[in-house]
Amino acid sequence: MNNRAFLRLTWTSLVLLAGSGCATSGSSSGNSVSVPLPYGFSATVTGESAPAQPFMVVTPEDARLVMASSAIASRVGHDITYDIDQVILKDTTNLHDLVSTALETVARGIDEARAYAPEATGRTCLMWTALKIELDEKTREAYAFFDERTGTLVLRVPTRATSFATERGVALALAPPT
């Protein structure tokens, strides 16, 4: 699992979700992709990790993603990054909805953890730097855990997942019972 490629995303900037099939936009040539941005700007991703079409461009105007990531940032107290396994990006047809729903679920999971363990949740939030969504081909249901070493909340999802997290799973990952 450690050999997989992950896309690191922040929702305050351009997001390229490779192979999602949600939209086709921009132009591609060789190992680079040129993507139009608002206000006449464009961005180019080059190299072996450059996404092939179709890909989805998510701009800050995408209210649901922005609101969900803002909800997480306001609960955590700072911005975090989002790492999404590229295998999931290629395997999921409704990725945009799944990611939005997962972020909303994580925000509600933080609230649930705070309700029963405010001090433990607060300590975890101080360490939290990233949320990682990765494929776990051996599991049948999505589950979550917090990696204190890296400050990462990891959501492990099965192949062809219909959801990436549960509120209770996130809450238990952030503030496990003692």
Side-chain angles (χ1 to χ4, degrees):
M1 244 186 258
N2 291 337
N3 294 334
R4 288 213 176 101
F6 286 82
L7 293 179
R8 174 148 288 182
L9 312 174
T10 60
W11 298 118
T12 56
S13 63
L14 171 72
V15 179
L16 295 175
L17 300 180
S20 70
C22 297
T24 56
S25 180
S27 62
S28 177
S29 68
N31 281 343
S32 69
V33 174
S34 179
V35 181
L37 298 175
Y39 311 112
F41 294 98
S42 66
T44 302
V45 179
T46 59
E48 291 183 42
S49 64
Q53 283 190 352
F55 60 90
M56 180 173 73
V57 177
V58 180
T59 62
E61 290 80 20
D62 188 323
R64 188 169 177 209
L65 283 174
V66 171
M67 290 180 67
S69 64
S70 294
I72 291 172
S74 69
R75 286 162 173 81
V76 173
H78 57 272
D79 287 332
I80 62 170
T81 57
Y82 301 86
D83 298 329
I84 302 178
D85 192 333
Q86 286 189 15
V87 172
I88 293 171
L89 298 175
K90 293 175 183 175
D91 192 41
T92 305
T93 58
N94 58 342
L95 180 68
H96 185 271
D97 186 50
L98 283 173
V99 171
S100 297
T101 301
L103 297 183
E104 293 163 349
T105 301
V106 168
R108 289 189 302 271
I110 296 167
D111 292 340
E112 185 176 326
R114 279 225 163 101
Y116 75 82
E119 290 178 12
T121 304
R123 282 190 302 274
T124 301
C125 286
L126 287 173
M127 295 185 288
W128 194 351
T129 60
L131 186 145
K132 182 184 233 180
I133 302 172
E134 66 183 14
L135 183 68
D136 184 344
E137 296 166 342
K138 296 177 184 172
T139 189
R140 292 184 181 263
E141 291 187 29
Y143 65 96
F145 67 92
F146 188 78
D147 183 347
E148 290 183 10
R149 185 180 52 79
T150 63
T152 303
L153 176 64
V154 179
L155 306 180
R156 292 251 172 99
V157 298
T159 305
R160 292 182 177 74
T162 57
S163 71
F164 289 168
T166 65
E167 292 167 25
R168 186 72 178 146
V170 170
L172 290 172
L174 298 176
T178 54

